[in-house]
Structures are given as C-alpha cells and as structure tokens.
C-alpha cells in the first residue's frame, strides 16, 4: 500500500492536532485507521477529488474524473470489522456519508450496534449500486427512538 506524500503530510497534521488535545485524548480513546468499509474485504481503488479530498469514493463515477486521482486502499467487509470498541457505549450517533456506499455499509452493521443508535444522519445516493434489499434491512433497524435525517440524492449531474 502506497501513501502519497500529500496524504502522509495531511495524516501527520491530523495526528499532531490530536496530540494538542492531550487532555481530551487522555479521557477518550481515539483510534485512527486507514481503511474503507465495503461489501467485500481486500483492496480497491479509491477515487479522490483533488480540490475536496473529502469527496472520495470507491465508485469511480461519483468523483469528477478530470479533477481527481486514485489510490489503493484496504477494504474491510462491514460484517467482518471488529465492532467491539463500540460495545462500551450506551448510545451511538450515526453519521453516514460515504459517497455511494452507505446502504452497503449500513446494511452490514451488526444488530448490537443498531440497538445503540439513537440519532442518525444518513446520505444515500440514488445510483444503480444501491440495492433495495439493503435499504429494507436498514429501515428495519430504525425505530421511533431513532431521530433520522435521511438524505436521498436523487439526481447526479454530470461530474465531467
């Protein structure tokens, strides 16, 4: 796995910023990991917009082609990820905006995590990769106790 110089610098700056919050980090466990969640484990291309590095996706056509670069990133199947770190929390606030993979990732969350979700903001894109079966599975986990804001991005303009 190769991390480009710019990404290394950004990652180092983030770690330095977290070190400045020393009191906070002593009270709370912070764990940074470089991987993507998905529907299968392995390695995949990640497409990253140059001007907005937060706009990155494993789905190539969701990032402007002429203004992006790609790298290789480790992918962990959602069901295979070790969710034990969240077990100590009574409540979870879920924020999901993964540029096209939200339905796949959220459908794979274990029941023990869904039971802790009290608030959720989820962005799901209306793209061919979104499966109705995943949406149904997600909706089964949402209840009256969950305040939900669901954003369906119905139209994707030309990203060229």
């Amino acid at each position: 796995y190769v991390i480009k110089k710019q990404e290394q610098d950004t990652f180092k700056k983030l770690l330095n910023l977290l070190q400045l919050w020393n009191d906070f980090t002593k009270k709370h466990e912070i764990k940074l990991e470089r991987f993507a969640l998905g529907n299968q484990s392995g390695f995949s291309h990640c497409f990253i917009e140059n001007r907005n590095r937060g706009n990155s996706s494993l789905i190539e056509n969701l990032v402007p082609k002429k203004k992006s670069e790609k790298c290789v990133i480790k992918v962990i199947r959602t069901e295979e990820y070790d969710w034990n770190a969240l077990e100590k929390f009574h409540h979870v606030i879920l924020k999901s905006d993964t540029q096209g993979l939200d339905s796949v990732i959220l459908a794979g969350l274990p029941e023990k995590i869904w039971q802790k979700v009290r608030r959720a903001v989820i962005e799901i894109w209306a793209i061919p990769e979104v499966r109705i079966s995943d949406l149904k599975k997600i909706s089964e986990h949402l209840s009256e106790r969950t305040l939900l804001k669901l954003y369906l991005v119905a139209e994707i303009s030309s990203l060229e």
Side-chain angles (χ1 to χ4, degrees), residues 9 19 23 41 59 73 80 86 92 96 101 107 112-113 123 137 159:
D9 292 345
Q19 286 299 75
D23 290 340
S41 293
I59 303 171
I73 191 164
E80 295 172 3
L86 293 178
V92 170
S96 182
L101 288 176
K112 65 183 180 182
I113 301 303
E123 180 179 304
K137 191 171 183 182
L159 296 175

Side-chain angles (χ1 to χ4, degrees), residues 107-119:
L109 278 180
E111 179 64 29
K112 65 183 180 182
I113 301 303
W114 277 113
Q115 290 174 356
K116 296 173 181 283
V117 174
R118 294 298 180 268
R119 302 287 186 266

Side-chain angles (χ1 to χ4, degrees), residues 55 57 59-64 99-100 123-130 152-160:
N55 184 22
S57 180
I59 303 171
E60 183 175 11
N61 65 343
L62 297 184
V63 178
Q99 309 306 84
E123 180 179 304
I124 296 178
W125 292 39
I127 55 176
E129 289 84 355
V130 174
L152 293 173
V153 181
E155 184 177 321
I156 299 174
S157 59
S158 173
L159 296 175
E160 293 297 322

